[in-house]
Amino acid sequence: MNPPRIIIAAPASGHGKSTVATGLMAALAADRRVQGFKVGPDYIDPMYHTAATGRPSRNLDAWMLPPAAVQLVFARVAATADVSIIEGVMGFFDGAGSDPLAGSTAQMALLLAAPVILVVDCSHMSVSAAAVVHGFHTFMPKVNIAGVICNRVGGERHAAWLREAITQYGVPVLGCLPYLPDLTIPERHLGLLTVEERPQAVQTFLARAREAMARDVDLEAVVALAEAAPPLPLPDSAGPLAAALAAASDGVVRIGVARDEAFCFYYADNLDALRVAGAEVVWFSPLRDAVLPPGISGLYFGGGYPEIYAAALSANRPLLAAVREAHAQEMPIYAECGGLMYLTEALEDAEGQRHPMVGLVPGVCRMERRLVMGYREVRLAADGLLGAAGQRLRGHEFHYSTWQRPEGAPPAYVIEPRHPAEQPRAEGFASGYLHASYIHLHFGQDARLAAQMVARCRLWQESRGRAQRS
């Protein structure tokens, strides 16, 4: 298998790789099927990829997923596209620790045997950019730094210096983009503003990015590098994701998935894994809908920005009551991060105003100034919605809120210490088939996750059918 593919990376965050990657996707999608990917646990960049290509972008995370699962996630979707563009994370060699091949974009380049285009912010240097490129080109020779796009270039003379200085070290310059202040995406406390919040502005951004790439980047050279990628390495064994994809669907179970401006952080592969396991994903809006979708047998609340929409979520009392009623009937409910916040008794915003929420998770969630973020190794604290007690998983958290665990509240996970001085700690809340936590999981790491969640929903559906017949 040899799908055309290219990785867009950078020496560090802030060089413009998100803008360049999304712009390239938009430009090439004019006459090709383009598939976007994002390295690492990011939800917002893939939204822009999806808007640029018209195809759901996928996350590739070599820390949360085993290498074989990463390769299969990529291969399954890349096979349906003419070219795949993979946006890196942070600096090219930055990952989960001091190892440059642990969760980094460089590790992804090796796993996928993908050529790399390095985006370099040249706004404050000229010939020194050649030293940066040469360093990345030679630091790990087995990684293929195949080209450079110089960003924020001051003019034609600046571009000429950059091209002459860089190309003498054997790395072609594929484009020189001028400083384009209108190609910046507004940010806030959890990253970029989402696509759903500013659809018209996003379309304007994509049009300008498409124009800039077509004008200042050699698109045919980019495609040629992607098409020159060597055969994609695939695992000898089927691996966990392949097992999930091959799983037979025993009837359809409808799962209601919260999706609107407040709840928008989902891995596309998680939803696909649920579908493969026999679920029909049914969208609903906690902001706008007064009732839950009909015929559902489970609920999934992803992450997002419930703190920004706390007043509107709290004011939608009919839906709060509907979720409480579903729980009272023991319907399986899975919630991550923003979903946990929504299911608590109340959400206290940055101004100290308290907004009543669903109330299935005891305690109040408060917005703080301190960011909690990072990868987490966890184990299930008890038998429940996702599996058996002790099952080990990998996930991540990224939030500015805190939930104070009431004494005696049963946890969803035990977080394993990553340093000798740390102690295991309880995380989240689980009771019956309610599972709520700050931890985001990628279901591709273990085929049992989606399968067991759908199985629990199917059991609930069957039990309700028996109850109605009796």
Side-chain angles (χ1 to χ4, degrees):
M1 184 179 183
N2 193 24
R5 58 202 183 276
I6 200 81
I7 287 179
I8 306 301
S13 297
H15 282 245
K17 67 177 176 293
S18 293
T19 297
V20 171
T22 305
L24 287 175
M25 292 179 201
L28 295 177
D31 56 4
R32 294 174 176 86
R33 296 175 300 170
V34 179
Q35 177 61 51
F37 293 89
K38 172 66 181 180
V39 178
D42 187 297
Y43 291 103
I44 300 179
D45 284 341
M47 295 181 187
Y48 284 83
H49 300 173
T50 300
T53 66
R55 298 163 62 96
S57 181
R58 309 288 171 148
N59 289 77
L60 301 171
D61 195 304
W63 191 89
M64 281 198 288
L65 275 64
V70 171
Q71 292 166 330
L72 287 163
V73 165
F74 176 79
R76 178 173 66 94
V77 182
T80 68
D82 297 318
V83 63
S84 293
I85 297 178
I86 306 154
E87 180 189 339
V89 62
M90 300 185 292
F92 183 60
F93 293 106
D94 301 330
S98 59
D99 185 349
L101 294 179
S104 67
T105 307
Q107 181 189 16
M108 193 61 60
L110 292 177
L111 280 176
L112 302 182
V116 178
I117 295 176
L118 200 65
V119 177
V120 181
D121 179 357
C122 299
S123 58
H124 299 292
M125 58 183 171
S126 56
V127 177
S128 294
V132 173
V133 174
H134 182 60
F136 276 81
H137 190 218
T138 58
F139 180 76
M140 189 175 290
K142 61 183 176 180
V143 175
N144 180 17
I145 305 293
V148 176
I149 292 177
C150 298
N151 196 21
R152 300 171 188 139
V153 176
E156 292 184 7
R157 180 177 296 180
H158 188 195
W161 289 342
L162 290 166
R163 289 182 187 277
E164 183 177 354
I166 293 170
T167 54
Q168 67 178 305
Y169 292 102
V171 183
V173 174
L174 305 176
C176 289
L177 291 163
Y179 176 60
L180 299 168
D182 58 344
L183 284 186
T184 57
I185 304 172
E187 298 188 34
R188 57 157 166 246
H189 61 283
L190 288 182
L192 304 175
L193 292 179
T194 68
V195 170
E196 293 193 17
E197 295 172 285
R198 48 195 298 272
Q200 188 55 52
V202 169
Q203 291 306 312
T204 300
F205 163 80
L206 291 176
R208 290 173 177 168
R210 185 185 302 115
E211 179 184 347
M213 299 301 150
R215 182 186 63 239
D216 297 311
V217 175
D218 186 343
L219 297 179
E220 293 306 316
V222 171
V223 172
L225 285 178
E227 291 177 341
L232 179 68
L234 289 174
D236 294 332
S237 60
L241 186 63
L245 293 174
S249 299
D250 184 16
V252 173
V253 174
R254 288 166 62 87
I255 295 179
V257 179
R259 184 174 182 179
D260 52 25
E261 297 92 326
F263 300 96
C264 50
F265 292 171
Y266 296 95
Y267 291 132
D269 288 293
N270 280 12
L271 301 174
D272 279 354
L274 292 174
R275 294 183 180 107
V276 168
E280 177 189 356
V281 171
V282 184
W283 306 116
F284 72 97
S285 169
L287 283 172
R288 300 180 183 87
D289 293 337
V291 297
L292 293 171
I296 60 171
S297 301
L299 288 169
Y300 182 177
F301 293 93
Y305 296 102
E307 67 273 19
I308 295 176
Y309 302 95
L313 290 169
S314 183
N316 191 354
R317 294 185 179 87
L319 195 74
L320 298 177
V323 176
R324 285 192 287 266
E325 176 59 24
H327 179 257
Q329 295 179 13
E330 300 183 334
M331 180 184 291
I333 301 176
Y334 176 66
E336 292 182 335
C337 200
L340 164 73
M341 297 163 68
Y342 181 65
L343 296 182
T344 60
E345 295 175 20
L347 200 168
E348 188 175 292
D349 62 25
E351 287 71 42
Q353 185 174 354
R354 185 168 291 191
H355 305 275
M357 293 290 155
V358 179
L360 304 184
V361 175
V364 174
C365 197
R366 294 182 175 87
M367 298 306 298
E368 308 283 359
R369 294 184 181 273
R370 184 175 70 92
L371 172 64
V372 178
M373 66 172 294
Y375 284 123
R376 304 288 183 255
E377 295 189 63
V378 302
R379 51 185 165 87
L380 292 174
D383 295 350
L385 180 60
L386 296 182
Q391 183 175 341
R392 294 181 178 272
L393 300 166
R394 286 187 166 194
H396 72 96
E397 56 180 327
F398 192 98
H399 53 91
Y400 278 92
S401 66
T402 59
W403 169 66
Q404 299 299 321
R405 172 182 304 283
E407 186 175 351
Y413 301 110
V414 174
I415 295 183
E416 302 287 7
R418 298 190 64 189
H419 304 285
E422 295 179 349
Q423 296 295 320
R425 62 180 176 89
E427 161 56 31
F429 177 83
S431 177
Y433 295 129
L434 167 63
H435 182 105
S437 167
Y438 276 119
I439 302 296
H440 295 274
L441 296 178
H442 193 299
F443 290 172
Q445 67 186 284
D446 191 325
R448 294 172 294 179
L449 292 171
Q452 290 179 139
M453 182 173 169
V454 173
R456 299 294 187 187
C457 294
R458 182 177 292 113
L459 285 173
W460 184 88
Q461 177 179 274
E462 291 171 352
S463 69
R464 295 293 296 171
R466 287 193 297 269
Q468 291 172 359
R469 290 193 298 269
S470 61

